[in-house]
């Protein structure tokens, strides 16, 4: 007997959401202030200002610039501001903080702006495996946003999911 193979997952009506689809499209560049410190400890204002004037700011054209200091030095707030001021005409986006802090903020904004009207009363799978770094907070934010309107939320792949939420039926 030649019985056709039926894709039950495709026919289930389950909608898969992939947070990886919201990963930043532009290249991310890190400006590490540590590289401009005297002995990686002390910021000398005059030397720092000179280094910023000589920096190739065109190299960050249309990229996301993260301004951080990877060493345990005390960096005055104005130093971050100064880098941001030089970068502003070139960078597509400027963020002060680490790569993981940036991604957390980026995904929080992406989830906040997500139009969820099409997911009303639907069964949703939030895709679990990704090739790009998606912070755990993004999954929590998305769950919190969807829960009031969807029928159910699952995590993983449509063929193998972990149930997260299921709306209780209304008792008559």
């Amino acid at each position: 007997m030649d019985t056709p193979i039926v894709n039950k997952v495709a026919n289930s009506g389950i909608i898969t959401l992939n947070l990886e689809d919201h990963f930043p499209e532009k290249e991310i560049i890190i400006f590490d202030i540590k590289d401009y410190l005297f002995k990686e400890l002390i910021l000398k204002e005059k030397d720092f200002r000179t280094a910023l004037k000589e920096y190739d700011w065109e190299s960050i054209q249309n990229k996301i610039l993260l301004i951080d200091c990877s060493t345990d030095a005390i960096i005055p707030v104005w130093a971050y501001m100064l880098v941001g001021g030089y970068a502003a005409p070139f960078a597509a986006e400027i963020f002060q903080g680490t790569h993981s802090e940036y991604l957390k903020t980026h995904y929080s904004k992406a989830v906040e702006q997500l139009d969820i009207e099409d997911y009303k009363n639907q069964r949703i799978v939030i895709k679990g495996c990704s090739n790009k770094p998606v912070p755990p907070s993004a999954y929590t934010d998305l769950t919190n946003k969807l829960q009031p309107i969807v029928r159910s939320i699952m995590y993983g792949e449509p063929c193998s999911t972990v149930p997260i939420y299921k709306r209780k039926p209304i008792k008559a």
Side-chain angles (χ1 to χ4, degrees), residues 15-34:
I15 298 172
T16 301
L17 295 179
N18 187 356
L19 281 166
E20 191 175 52
D21 293 342
H22 299 280
F23 191 81
E25 294 177 7
K26 298 183 184 311
E27 182 181 355
I28 298 172
I29 302 292
I30 298 173
F31 186 99
D32 193 345
I33 291 179
K34 171 195 73 131

Side-chain angles (χ1 to χ4, degrees), residues 9-118:
V9 173
N11 294 333
S12 69
I14 294 174
I15 298 172
T16 301
L17 295 179
N18 187 356
L19 281 166
E20 191 175 52
D21 293 342
H22 299 280
F23 191 81
E25 294 177 7
K26 298 183 184 311
E27 182 181 355
I28 298 172
I29 302 292
I30 298 173
F31 186 99
D32 193 345
I33 291 179
K34 171 195 73 131
D35 299 335
Y36 301 91
L37 300 178
F38 177 70
K39 296 187 178 184
E40 294 187 359
L41 291 172
I42 301 167
L43 185 115
K44 292 184 175 181
E45 182 179 352
K46 184 178 178 185
D47 295 345
F48 187 61
R49 286 182 180 274
T50 300
L52 293 181
K53 285 178 185 169
E54 295 172 356
Y55 186 85
D56 179 15
W57 293 106
E58 289 184 8
S59 68
I60 64 162
Q61 187 71 46
N62 206 29
K63 296 176 183 171
I64 299 167
L65 181 69
L66 309 184
I67 308 167
D68 193 29
C69 184
S70 63
T71 191
D72 196 20
I74 297 171
I75 306 298
V77 173
W78 61 260
Y80 297 105
M81 296 168 64
L82 196 58
V83 174
Y86 273 97
F90 304 97
E93 184 178 349
I94 301 170
F95 180 84
Q96 190 284 308
T98 64
H99 190 262
S100 62
E101 290 168 340
Y102 170 76
L103 289 178
K104 189 172 181 177
T105 300
H106 171 81
Y107 274 102
S108 180
K109 288 178 187 176
V111 168
E112 186 179 307
Q113 295 171 357
L114 192 63
D115 182 9
I116 59 169
E117 201 56 37
D118 291 341

